[in-house]
Short mmCIF file of all heavy atoms in Angstrom, two decimals:
data_model
loop_
_atom_site.label_atom_id
_atom_site.label_comp_id
_atom_site.label_asym_id
_atom_site.label_seq_id
_atom_site.Cartn_x
_atom_site.Cartn_y
_atom_site.Cartn_z
N VAL A 155 -0.48 -7.58 -11.29
CA VAL A 155 -1.04 -6.24 -11.24
C VAL A 155 -2.56 -6.22 -11.43
O VAL A 155 -3.25 -5.34 -10.93
CB VAL A 155 -0.28 -5.33 -12.24
CG1 VAL A 155 -0.74 -5.57 -13.66
CG2 VAL A 155 -0.38 -3.88 -11.84
N ASP A 156 -3.09 -7.23 -12.14
CA ASP A 156 -4.53 -7.23 -12.38
C ASP A 156 -5.22 -8.44 -11.74
O ASP A 156 -6.24 -8.91 -12.23
CB ASP A 156 -4.82 -7.20 -13.89
CG ASP A 156 -4.25 -8.42 -14.59
OD1 ASP A 156 -3.51 -9.20 -13.94
OD2 ASP A 156 -4.54 -8.61 -15.78
N ALA A 157 -4.67 -8.92 -10.63
CA ALA A 157 -5.29 -10.07 -9.96
C ALA A 157 -6.65 -9.71 -9.37
O ALA A 157 -7.50 -10.56 -9.19
CB ALA A 157 -4.37 -10.62 -8.88
N LEU A 158 -6.84 -8.43 -9.06
CA LEU A 158 -8.13 -7.97 -8.54
C LEU A 158 -8.71 -6.97 -9.53
O LEU A 158 -7.98 -6.17 -10.13
CB LEU A 158 -7.96 -7.31 -7.18
CG LEU A 158 -7.63 -8.24 -6.01
CD1 LEU A 158 -7.27 -7.43 -4.77
CD2 LEU A 158 -8.80 -9.18 -5.70
N ILE A 159 -10.03 -7.01 -9.66
CA ILE A 159 -10.72 -6.10 -10.57
C ILE A 159 -11.76 -5.32 -9.78
O ILE A 159 -12.52 -5.90 -9.00
CB ILE A 159 -11.44 -6.89 -11.69
CG1 ILE A 159 -10.45 -7.81 -12.41
CG2 ILE A 159 -12.12 -5.95 -12.68
CD1 ILE A 159 -11.14 -8.90 -13.21
N ARG A 160 -11.78 -4.00 -10.01
CA ARG A 160 -12.82 -3.18 -9.39
C ARG A 160 -13.89 -2.94 -10.44
O ARG A 160 -13.64 -2.32 -11.47
CB ARG A 160 -12.24 -1.86 -8.88
CG ARG A 160 -13.19 -1.15 -7.93
CD ARG A 160 -12.63 0.18 -7.49
NE ARG A 160 -11.60 0.05 -6.48
CZ ARG A 160 -11.69 0.54 -5.23
NH1 ARG A 160 -12.77 1.16 -4.84
NH2 ARG A 160 -10.70 0.42 -4.38
N HIS A 161 -15.08 -3.46 -10.20
CA HIS A 161 -16.13 -3.44 -11.22
C HIS A 161 -16.89 -2.14 -11.29
O HIS A 161 -17.49 -1.82 -12.30
CB HIS A 161 -17.14 -4.57 -10.97
CG HIS A 161 -16.48 -5.91 -11.07
ND1 HIS A 161 -16.24 -6.51 -12.28
CD2 HIS A 161 -15.97 -6.72 -10.13
CE1 HIS A 161 -15.62 -7.66 -12.06
NE2 HIS A 161 -15.44 -7.81 -10.78
N ARG A 162 -16.93 -1.42 -10.22
CA ARG A 162 -17.62 -0.13 -10.29
C ARG A 162 -16.91 0.85 -9.37
O ARG A 162 -16.19 0.47 -8.46
CB ARG A 162 -19.10 -0.28 -9.91
CG ARG A 162 -19.34 -0.87 -8.55
CD ARG A 162 -20.79 -0.75 -8.16
NE ARG A 162 -20.90 -0.87 -6.72
CZ ARG A 162 -21.05 -2.02 -6.07
NH1 ARG A 162 -21.12 -3.15 -6.73
NH2 ARG A 162 -21.14 -2.04 -4.76
N ARG A 163 -17.15 2.10 -9.70
CA ARG A 163 -16.57 3.13 -8.85
C ARG A 163 -17.36 3.15 -7.56
O ARG A 163 -18.58 3.10 -7.57
CB ARG A 163 -16.63 4.48 -9.54
CG ARG A 163 -15.66 4.56 -10.70
CD ARG A 163 -15.65 5.92 -11.30
NE ARG A 163 -16.96 6.28 -11.82
CZ ARG A 163 -17.28 7.48 -12.25
NH1 ARG A 163 -16.39 8.45 -12.21
NH2 ARG A 163 -18.47 7.72 -12.74
N THR A 164 -16.64 3.22 -6.46
CA THR A 164 -17.35 3.26 -5.19
C THR A 164 -17.31 4.69 -4.68
O THR A 164 -16.33 5.39 -4.87
CB THR A 164 -16.70 2.29 -4.18
OG1 THR A 164 -15.30 2.33 -4.35
CG2 THR A 164 -17.20 0.89 -4.40
N PRO A 165 -18.39 5.13 -4.03
CA PRO A 165 -18.40 6.49 -3.50
C PRO A 165 -17.38 6.59 -2.37
O PRO A 165 -16.91 5.58 -1.88
CB PRO A 165 -19.83 6.63 -2.96
CG PRO A 165 -20.29 5.24 -2.69
CD PRO A 165 -19.59 4.37 -3.68
N SER A 166 -17.07 7.80 -1.97
CA SER A 166 -16.18 7.99 -0.82
C SER A 166 -16.78 7.28 0.39
O SER A 166 -17.97 7.38 0.64
CB SER A 166 -16.02 9.48 -0.55
OG SER A 166 -15.40 9.64 0.71
N LEU A 167 -15.94 6.56 1.10
CA LEU A 167 -16.44 5.78 2.23
C LEU A 167 -16.44 6.57 3.53
O LEU A 167 -16.91 6.09 4.56
CB LEU A 167 -15.62 4.50 2.38
CG LEU A 167 -15.61 3.58 1.15
CD1 LEU A 167 -14.63 2.44 1.36
CD2 LEU A 167 -16.99 3.03 0.86
N GLY A 168 -15.88 7.78 3.47
CA GLY A 168 -15.83 8.62 4.68
C GLY A 168 -17.24 8.93 5.17
O GLY A 168 -18.14 9.17 4.37
N GLY A 169 -17.46 8.90 6.44
CA GLY A 169 -18.76 9.23 7.00
C GLY A 169 -19.73 8.06 7.06
O GLY A 169 -20.80 8.18 7.64
N LEU A 170 -19.36 6.96 6.42
CA LEU A 170 -20.25 5.78 6.48
C LEU A 170 -19.84 4.92 7.67
O LEU A 170 -18.67 4.88 8.05
CB LEU A 170 -20.12 4.95 5.20
CG LEU A 170 -20.43 5.65 3.88
CD1 LEU A 170 -20.33 4.66 2.72
CD2 LEU A 170 -21.81 6.28 3.91
N ASP A 171 -20.82 4.23 8.25
CA ASP A 171 -20.44 3.30 9.32
C ASP A 171 -20.01 1.98 8.68
O ASP A 171 -19.99 1.83 7.47
CB ASP A 171 -21.56 3.14 10.36
CG ASP A 171 -22.78 2.38 9.81
OD1 ASP A 171 -22.63 1.64 8.81
OD2 ASP A 171 -23.87 2.55 10.38
N ARG A 172 -19.62 1.06 9.52
CA ARG A 172 -19.00 -0.16 9.02
C ARG A 172 -19.92 -0.95 8.09
O ARG A 172 -19.50 -1.42 7.03
CB ARG A 172 -18.63 -1.01 10.24
CG ARG A 172 -17.42 -1.84 9.97
CD ARG A 172 -16.99 -2.52 11.23
NE ARG A 172 -16.63 -3.87 10.88
CZ ARG A 172 -16.39 -4.81 11.76
NH1 ARG A 172 -16.49 -4.56 13.04
NH2 ARG A 172 -16.06 -6.01 11.36
N ALA A 173 -21.19 -1.06 8.51
CA ALA A 173 -22.14 -1.83 7.69
C ALA A 173 -22.38 -1.13 6.36
O ALA A 173 -22.46 -1.77 5.31
CB ALA A 173 -23.45 -2.00 8.45
N GLU A 174 -22.46 0.21 6.40
CA GLU A 174 -22.69 0.97 5.15
C GLU A 174 -21.49 0.86 4.21
O GLU A 174 -21.65 0.79 3.00
CB GLU A 174 -22.96 2.44 5.49
CG GLU A 174 -24.31 2.66 6.15
CD GLU A 174 -24.45 4.06 6.77
OE1 GLU A 174 -23.43 4.67 7.12
OE2 GLU A 174 -25.59 4.51 6.91
N ARG A 175 -20.29 0.85 4.78
CA ARG A 175 -19.10 0.70 3.94
C ARG A 175 -19.09 -0.66 3.26
O ARG A 175 -18.81 -0.78 2.06
CB ARG A 175 -17.82 0.87 4.78
CG ARG A 175 -17.57 2.30 5.21
CD ARG A 175 -16.14 2.48 5.68
NE ARG A 175 -15.87 1.76 6.92
CZ ARG A 175 -15.83 2.32 8.14
NH1 ARG A 175 -16.03 3.62 8.25
NH2 ARG A 175 -15.59 1.60 9.19
N ALA A 176 -19.42 -1.69 4.04
CA ALA A 176 -19.45 -3.04 3.47
C ALA A 176 -20.51 -3.12 2.36
O ALA A 176 -20.28 -3.71 1.31
CB ALA A 176 -19.74 -4.06 4.57
#
Side-chain angles (χ1 to χ4, degrees):
V155 78
D156 61 352
L158 289 171
I159 305 163
R160 195 183 283 243
H161 298 279
R162 57 170 201 271
R163 289 185 299 171
T164 37
S166 168
L167 301 173
L170 302 183
D171 70 22
R172 210 172 138 190
E174 289 167 334
R175 287 196 292 259

